[in-house]
Amino acid sequence: MKLMVVDDETATRNGILKYVHWTELGIEQIKAAGSALEALRISSVWEPDIVISDIRMPDMDGVTLCRKLKEMLPACCLIFISGYADKENLIAAISLSAVSFVEKPFSIEELEAAIQKAVDHCFASHETAYLKSSLRCNMPVIEEYVVKGLVKEEITDELLDNCRFLEFPLDQKTCFQVLLFEAKEAIKVRAEFLGTILPYFEERQERTLKYFRSERELVIILFSPEKGCFIKESIQNTIMEVIERLNREGIPLFCAAGSVVRGYEQIAASFGKAEQMQEELFFTGYGSASFYRKNGGERTTSGQLMKLSEIEEAIRRYDVPGICKWEERLYRTIRRGSVCSVSEIRKVYFQLLYAVECAALKLLHQEVVRTGDEIWCTACAARTLEELHSCFLDAAEKKLAPSHEREGLSDTVFQVICQIKKDYSREDLDITTLADSVYLTPTYLSNLFKKETGFTIGQYITLVRIKAAKELLGDKSLKLYQVAEQCGYSDQNYFAKIFKRQEGINPSDFRKTRM
């Protein structure tokens, strides 16, 4: 607590400073000013909590001083001291909300009582300000607590108290609607995200409560005393405006709108309908919205899909164009007909992804594929049909397209080539290591490899390493010795020699041509 004494009479000023029991009153810092102008200068920097001021001073009277102090420091407590207790001064003190008016001459006990009153007033003001600040900081937490309770229909006395604190209507006439927004990616800056969405509803004179259910999901409760605010076409247009704007800003979004209900007890029902409509995201994708429809609109689950035998046969033949063709037909059938449930569709794509992994295992003759659990996690992680479609095509392209590289090659030689491409960065990669991996003697493998590829194993390893080095040299952040090490050469000079012999140019000069 900081206090300043302002009095042009030195004896009065020094007497106050000397005889008042400051520590017992809770005053830790004290300053004195001999004039109003000096008091203003000190206050502009020091900001006292309490000011004891004489009224009659030569340069500026105490009332004028305290008016200026109140403008500068609205929370400052004032104590006037004066030998002139006239009506005009008393009225001025009252108008400035002075804590006390002490007439001269006064006793120290009398002044200390006034100071104690000011200290108590300051503490009360600070506590009130702190509580208000805490409430402002905790408002999102309170709001989240209320929304969670309302949508889960967990109505308690504490929740109702918080509703009243938030001025949330608890009557049976107010209309409510729950919206579920889901972003494709995690929402990094929540304040900006809300700052984009909420003004659209504020313009419609609808109030909101909201909370983030996850890093990608926002739950909003709209409420208005007028059901007319929830006209279907109007609110749908508003939501689509929000989605289109955020799409333009690179934030793909989906919105599921629940039913319009009356009374806060029905908010959970609206939320349930919104969650039901959220399943439409799987079929429609991001950049769209789904609105609750009272009659009809539910997807059928007949379980009828085109046969998968054509796709599975194409997978067994490593026929990537054929795989893409048949899967595209499957994808369009599902998008067009809504012929089965989301869980059934995930099972279908799990079956196809598993077939691709099995084909890849046979193709490469090594344990490079994912387990069934990993594949199922992939299928479940896809939020939309389009993501499943892309995931499958990507897997087929990456895992089965290399099959053309094995034309005319035996399984053994193709397996050795795969291992060279996988382990070229190992300095100890040589014919002995490779021969051991396929259970052949180095001499036999060397002759077989040369016969089928036209290269010795050493030449092929060099080709793979230099190809990788050319790509790495495009990265300016890598030193030449780092490029050499990543390509299986511990000696930078030897690497440079091999590179120049292969490409006709030094690695450093090659890098310059890529810049």
Side-chain angles (χ1 to χ4, degrees):
M1 197 73 69
K2 297 187 291 186
L3 180 144
M4 181 169 63
V5 178
V6 187
D7 199 312
D8 61 320
E9 295 179 1
T10 305
T12 303
R13 191 169 67 245
N14 290 340
I16 292 173
L17 294 175
K18 182 177 180 179
Y19 294 109
V20 171
H21 299 85
W22 301 111
T23 304
E24 293 177 12
L25 292 168
I27 305 296
E28 296 180 351
Q29 301 179 53
I30 309 158
K31 286 186 182 292
S35 69
L37 293 177
E38 184 184 2
L40 287 173
R41 180 179 57 77
I42 293 172
S43 298
S44 66
V45 178
W46 193 57
E47 299 185 357
D49 298 294
I50 301 170
V51 172
I52 300 174
S53 176
D54 190 12
I55 289 183
R56 294 197 177 183
M57 293 183 288
D59 58 345
M60 181 189 298
D61 65 84
V63 172
T64 304
L65 164 65
C66 289
R67 284 201 180 99
K68 291 181 179 292
L69 286 176
K70 273 292 189 179
E71 291 175 4
M72 187 188 307
L73 305 168
C76 181
C77 287
L78 305 176
I79 299 174
F80 285 114
I81 54 175
S82 177
Y84 306 91
D86 53 70
K87 184 178 179 181
E88 185 179 339
N89 287 335
L90 291 173
I91 291 173
I94 293 170
S95 69
L96 289 169
S97 301
V99 175
S100 294
F101 188 106
V102 182
E103 292 185 59
K104 293 181 180 178
F106 51 79
S107 66
I108 290 299
E109 290 78 10
E110 188 179 2
L111 182 60
E112 285 182 340
I115 295 171
Q116 184 64 64
K117 186 177 179 182
V119 168
D120 294 342
H121 187 275
C122 282
F123 274 123
S125 297
H126 290 172
E127 185 176 3
T128 301
Y130 173 76
L131 288 173
K132 288 181 178 178
S133 175
S134 297
L135 285 173
R136 282 195 296 271
C137 293
N138 289 314
M139 194 70 76
V141 178
I142 297 170
E143 197 167 346
E144 177 178 338
Y145 170 77
V146 167
V147 175
K148 282 183 177 179
L150 291 171
V151 299
K152 293 179 180 178
E153 208 170 2
E154 297 173 351
I155 310 298
T156 63
D157 290 341
E158 184 181 358
L159 182 133
L160 295 177
D161 287 341
N162 280 297
C163 284
R164 295 183 188 98
F165 171 75
L166 295 173
E167 299 180 353
F168 184 79
L170 298 175
D171 58 79
Q172 299 301 315
K173 296 180 180 179
T174 302
C175 296
F176 300 92
Q177 185 174 28
V178 176
L179 306 180
L180 274 174
F181 285 94
E182 181 176 337
K184 188 173 183 179
E185 306 292 340
I187 300 164
K188 296 180 180 178
V189 185
R190 292 185 173 185
E192 289 184 9
F193 186 75
L194 290 172
T196 301
I197 290 180
L198 298 183
Y200 282 89
F201 299 105
E202 290 168 359
E203 288 176 6
R204 294 166 46 88
Q205 297 183 334
E206 290 161 352
R207 296 179 61 194
T208 62
L209 285 184
K210 67 279 178 190
Y211 92 98
F212 285 89
R213 188 162 70 159
S214 70
E215 62 180 9
R216 296 193 294 118
E217 291 180 295
L218 171 68
V219 180
I220 292 181
I221 299 177
L222 298 180
F223 57 98
S224 172
E226 298 296 331
K227 192 168 184 178
C229 289
F230 293 96
I231 296 173
K232 182 179 178 182
E233 291 75 14
S234 176
I235 200 162
Q236 287 184 7
N237 290 338
T238 299
I239 290 171
M240 289 312 301
E241 284 180 32
V242 171
I243 291 171
E244 288 167 8
R245 175 177 171 179
L246 285 166
N247 269 344
R248 290 194 299 269
E249 295 178 4
I251 307 175
L253 199 66
F254 172 81
C255 178
S259 54
V260 177
V261 297
R262 279 194 184 276
Y264 70 93
E265 299 97 334
Q266 299 301 313
I267 290 174
S270 179
F271 177 71
K273 299 301 182 184
E275 285 196 310
Q276 179 182 323
M277 302 316 297
Q278 194 178 23
E279 294 183 4
E280 293 291 301
L281 166 63
F282 183 82
F283 297 96
T284 61
Y286 293 98
S288 63
S290 183
F291 303 94
Y292 173 72
R293 299 174 292 279
K294 188 173 182 180
N295 298 314
E298 295 185 1
R299 291 183 176 271
T300 58
T301 55
S302 64
Q304 297 298 316
L305 273 178
M306 62 175 287
K307 292 181 180 179
L308 303 180
S309 55
E310 294 89 348
I311 306 177
E312 292 174 330
E313 178 58 32
I315 291 173
R316 282 191 288 272
R317 297 197 311 269
Y318 309 112
D319 177 11
V320 175
I323 294 169
C324 295
K325 170 189 170 184
W326 289 109
E327 191 279 335
E328 184 70 28
R329 285 186 59 185
L330 171 67
Y331 171 66
R332 293 186 181 280
T333 299
I334 297 173
R335 283 292 296 266
R336 183 176 59 249
S338 309
V339 293
C340 58
S341 68
V342 173
S343 61
E344 290 172 324
I345 294 169
R346 292 191 194 281
K347 291 176 184 177
V348 166
Y349 273 89
F350 166 79
Q351 181 179 336
L352 296 178
L353 285 166
Y354 189 79
V356 166
E357 297 292 341
C358 291
L361 177 62
K362 183 178 179 182
L363 177 67
L364 300 178
H365 294 273
Q366 53 186 327
E367 297 292 337
V368 295
V369 299
R370 296 175 295 173
T371 65
D373 287 343
E374 291 172 327
I375 299 169
W376 179 245
C377 286
T378 298
C380 290
R383 289 290 291 135
T384 67
L385 175 62
E386 185 177 5
E387 288 177 12
L388 266 181
H389 167 63
S390 299
C391 176
F392 173 78
L393 292 181
D394 184 60
E397 287 282 351
K398 286 182 177 178
K399 293 181 176 292
L400 304 183
S403 61
H404 69 274
E405 296 178 3
R406 69 173 294 170
E407 290 182 9
L409 300 178
S410 63
D411 289 348
T412 299
V413 170
F414 184 69
Q415 182 177 350
V416 169
I417 287 174
C418 289
Q419 186 163 345
I420 291 171
K421 290 182 176 180
K422 177 174 174 286
D423 296 333
Y424 68 86
S425 61
R426 287 177 50 187
E427 188 177 3
D428 63 347
L429 183 66
D430 57 19
I431 188 170
T432 302
T433 304
L434 294 168
D436 288 344
S437 70
V438 291
Y439 309 104
L440 296 175
T441 65
T443 301
Y444 186 86
L445 176 61
S446 179
N447 293 333
L448 181 64
F449 195 92
K450 175 75 173 179
K451 178 181 177 182
E452 293 189 14
T453 66
F455 298 99
T456 66
I457 286 180
Q459 288 172 336
Y460 196 84
I461 291 174
T462 299
L463 287 173
V464 172
R465 285 174 169 172
I466 297 304
K467 181 182 178 182
K470 289 163 69 176
E471 293 180 4
L472 292 171
L473 286 168
D475 185 350
K476 300 176 186 177
S477 67
L478 292 174
K479 305 292 185 183
L480 289 179
Y481 78 86
Q482 292 175 315
V483 173
E485 289 175 352
Q486 290 186 36
C487 294
Y489 298 102
S490 59
D491 187 333
Q492 179 182 331
N493 293 328
Y494 180 65
F495 162 67
K497 180 180 177 182
I498 296 296
F499 190 95
K500 184 173 183 180
R501 186 173 68 191
Q502 196 73 27
E503 298 296 320
I505 186 173
N506 289 322
S508 55
D509 293 331
F510 178 84
R511 169 171 273 175
K512 291 176 183 177
T513 66
R514 299 287 296 273
M515 296 172 68

